[in-house]
Every structure is written in C-alpha cells, then in structure tokens.
Amino acid sequence: MTFDRRVKIAPSILSADFADFGREIEAIEAQGADWVHVDVMDGHFVPNLTFGPQMCRAIRPHVRTVMDVHLMIAPVDPYIDAFAEAGADVISAHLEAGPHIHRTLQAIRGAGCKAGLAINPGTGLDGVEYLLDMIDLVCVMTVNPGFGGQKFIESQVAKVKALRAMIGDRPIHIEIDGGMTPETAPLMAAAGADVFVAGSAVFRGGSVAKPEVYGENIRAIRTAAEAAL
C-alpha cells in the first residue's frame, strides 16, 4: 500500500449481499474499486451490530486491493491484534471511542497496519492536531455512524478544508464516509479528500449477476470527484 492523493473509491460491504461477500468483493474490485471498506459496529459505540475479526479473516483471500477496516467499537485496544491478524491493511479507530487514542494508534501501527483516526460529525479538529504524526488516514464521518444510506451532512465540507490545511504535506489520506454520491463527492474532493467510501451508491441496482452496474456507479462517483480537482 503506497501513498498518493489520487481519487480512490472504497465501497462499503455493509451494502453488499451478506450471503455472498466473496463474490461481491471480487465483483467490485473487477469493476474498479480501489479499496474495500469494512464497517465494524458493536451495538454499543454505535446502534448497530455488524462484523468481527472472523468475518474479516474469511473475506481476506477475496480482497486483492486494500482491506480498510473501520472500527466503530469501544473499547478498541483489545481487538486491534485480532483485526490485524485477520488481514486488515488499514485500521481506523474513533477519537471518541476511548481516553487514550494516542496509545490506540501506536498499537495499530505496532500490529503492522496503517493507522486511521475517525471523527464523528459533531467532533472538531482540536483533538486531531497532536496526532498527525501518528496517523496515515483521517476518516471524516459525514453521517452519524451506525447505519448506511443516511443523508450527507454538509457542515463537514468546511471541516475537511480545515483538515487539509492542517495536514499540509504530510502523507495522510483524508477519507470521507457517509452519503457519498456523484453529487456530494465533488464537494469533498474540492475540499481535499482523496478516499471516498460509498455503500448504497455503489451497490444499488447491481449484483454479482449484474456487476457492470457496480462499475457504472463507481465510475460515476470517481468522474464527478476528479472533475472537482
């Protein structure tokens, strides 16, 4: 996994067919997905329950690009090694999930993964500044975490612009998670984001039997984002 600021589309398998993850992942990658985004929810930190390390281990052989694991769980630290051993390339933990986020980021890197810091829509950037040398990615939530298919929160555009200025020339990705469509992705691309998580906007209308629809949806988001640069 090398760093660059080209537009990257990371479909969230939260919107895929749960009974056919292997073929769904192979389909989106064949149709142009750059990363595969895995939303891990615990029913405690967020009001939903999804996947664990065993599922990540099961899908890892099907992922040829980047497995991007977003931990919406609390506590985080006891589970880092399990997700790293399951094959995660990137592990993102929430700033809001515990009192010792610096230690959490150290543990993620110590486990051999790229370290991501996720922040909720109501969280400002004050807690990010002193962590910039510890992270490889900032995941800005543009919906409240817990469910797919929510409406994009426009106030996060200004946050991403400020974050882009704060990062400067550091090799840190800005990832946007929530409400990404061909209409909203350009706003975030212009603000400085380079990784776009999209669930329903990628999987809507397609299937492993009709993977070309996934390709059309991915290309639509990518084209719109790149046009804003």
Side-chain angles (χ1 to χ4, degrees), residues 14 24 46 60 62 84 130 139 171 173 186 213:
L14 188 63
E24 288 276 54
V46 294
R60 178 70 255 191
H62 301 276
Y130 294 104
C139 176
H173 297 288
V213 177

Side-chain angles (χ1 to χ4, degrees), residues 119-196:
I119 53 176
N120 286 334
T123 299
L125 297 178
D126 290 348
V128 176
E129 182 176 3
Y130 294 104
L131 299 171
L132 289 176
D133 293 327
M134 292 294 303
I135 58 180
D136 302 287
L137 176 148
V138 180
C139 176
V140 178
M141 296 298 299
T142 46
V143 299
N144 286 297
F147 298 95
Q150 297 183 66
K151 184 179 179 181
F152 175 76
I153 300 173
E154 293 193 13
S155 64
Q156 302 308 292
V157 176
K159 181 191 289 186
V160 170
K161 288 180 180 178
L163 177 62
R164 174 68 264 164
M166 181 184 292
I167 287 172
D169 61 359
R170 294 177 179 88
I172 298 173
H173 297 288
I174 298 178
E175 178 177 72
I176 308 301
D177 188 351
M180 286 294 93
T181 68
E183 291 70 44
T184 57
L187 301 175
M188 287 308 196
D194 62 289
V195 183
F196 301 85

Side-chain angles (χ1 to χ4, degrees), residues 7 13 21 26 43 63 67-68 149 156 160 162 171 193-194 198 227:
V7 168
I13 62 170
F21 274 143
E26 292 166 4
V63 179
M67 184 190 284
D68 176 31
Q156 302 308 292
V160 170
D194 62 289

Side-chain angles (χ1 to χ4, degrees), residues 9-13 24-26 28-29 33-39 59 62-69 89:
I9 309 300
S12 169
I13 62 170
E24 288 276 54
I25 289 167
E26 292 166 4
I28 58 173
E29 289 190 332
D34 301 287
W35 294 10
V36 175
H37 189 80
V38 183
D39 287 307
I59 67 172
H62 301 276
V63 179
R64 304 300 182 193
T65 55
V66 172
M67 184 190 284
D68 176 31
V69 177
D89 295 299

Side-chain angles (χ1 to χ4, degrees), residues 9-36 180 182 196 198-223:
I9 309 300
S12 169
I13 62 170
L14 188 63
S15 296
D17 180 354
F18 278 35
D20 206 1
F21 274 143
R23 291 202 299 165
E24 288 276 54
I25 289 167
E26 292 166 4
I28 58 173
E29 289 190 332
Q31 292 295 324
D34 301 287
W35 294 10
V36 175
M180 286 294 93
F196 301 85
S200 55
V202 166
F203 287 95
R204 183 183 296 116
S207 67
V208 293
K210 296 192 297 182
E212 65 278 4
V213 177
Y214 296 160
E216 293 167 4
N217 294 340
I218 289 169
R219 286 190 294 275
I221 297 169
R222 188 191 308 278
T223 299

